[in-house]
Amino acid sequence: MTTARPDLAPLTGRRLSWSREASFLPGPGGSAEPPAVVDSWLVARGRVRGLALHEQRFQLACSRLVPGLPRSTVRRFLADVRRELPGEGRWFPRIEAYGGSSPGLALWMRPAPGTGDTVSLWIPRRPDPRTRPGVKGPDLPALADLRAGARAAGADDALLYAGDGTALEAAHSSIVWWRRDTLCVPAPDLAVLPSITRVLLEQLAWAWRFRIRSERCSPDELQRVETWTLNALHGIRPVRAWVDAHGRTVEARVSGRAGEWRRALHARALLSHALPAGGKSAAAL
């Protein structure tokens, strides 16, 4: 099993800038501006779910928002990141791409925060404020404000919805919902972040012969069906309660099915050093 380099052990929890010549060094990843693109995933005892898909999403976002970083440079950075993923403990590393006049890349090797089995969602007064919903990075400040609003209202996260009232996702998670034995996902034309955990969940649904249906659903409708949030840190979390803009709480519909799906999703975590190179298709996982 691979482990992080001993000389980097004291630097965990700090940002490490990357260069072709020196690999990782303490310091920011480029300009003084916030990162243009980020991605993160859970590493538990050296195992990761969907690492190649996270790398692919990061590469595609960099090609759109940080064209000053050649694809070959990003690929080499991702290969170096893999070599530094710890083989023990629980970590939530974040990779970052910086634009501007000095494009750069960075690794933030963060200890993983605690995880939860369920989540409560706050429905804010205003619709989705993001400017680039399909990319992880540009709207992080707005999403942090939404999470703060959710916590002030007594919830864990905020539900995002379009101007026409269509539910999109949570501020830090994608959403799916169940209609009996049919797994429902947001319609493909909706402005949501491509979710790696949702890809893995859909693969499980196909393997287990469950129907998958794309839909447009309102927040009011979601409160009447079993809804899950999905992300790389927590995996599957059923929504246990909804909190409206006035602070009123409604208990959500919850069944016992999440446990089996959560265990199956956890089993898809593979040793990072044994995974295929970045940019492989979902089928490779």
Side-chain angles (χ1 to χ4, degrees), residues 128-273:
D128 184 5
R130 294 174 299 175
T131 59
R132 288 185 176 270
V135 177
K136 190 173 183 179
D139 296 299
L140 287 180
L143 295 176
D145 287 345
L146 280 167
R147 174 176 278 179
R151 289 177 173 169
D156 300 309
D157 205 352
L159 180 73
L160 305 179
Y161 57 91
D164 66 358
T166 302
L168 300 171
E169 55 192 331
H172 295 85
S173 304
S174 64
I175 59 170
V176 297
W177 55 97
W178 289 91
R179 297 193 188 276
R180 296 187 178 179
D181 289 330
T182 297
L183 177 66
C184 301
V185 301
D189 62 324
L190 294 175
V192 299
L193 180 73
S195 168
I196 306 308
T197 308
R198 200 185 103 185
V199 169
L200 300 177
L201 184 73
E202 290 184 28
Q203 290 177 357
L204 280 174
W206 283 115
W208 289 353
R209 300 183 181 276
F210 280 84
R211 292 185 297 274
I212 302 174
R213 185 166 70 204
S214 298
E215 288 188 346
R216 306 177 81 87
C217 191
S218 70
D220 286 343
E221 290 178 280
L222 286 180
Q223 294 178 52
R224 297 193 291 271
V225 296
E226 182 179 359
T227 304
W228 293 352
T229 66
L230 313 170
N231 67 22
L233 176 63
H234 298 280
I236 298 169
R237 286 192 296 176
V239 177
R240 69 176 182 275
W242 298 91
V243 182
D244 68 15
H246 304 287
R248 295 174 298 207
T249 300
V250 176
E251 289 189 7
R253 295 190 60 178
V254 180
S255 75
R257 80 172 100 203
E260 181 181 10
W261 290 77
R262 186 183 290 118
R263 288 189 292 272
L265 190 66
H266 178 73
R268 297 181 73 83
L270 304 175
L271 285 170
S272 60
H273 69 273

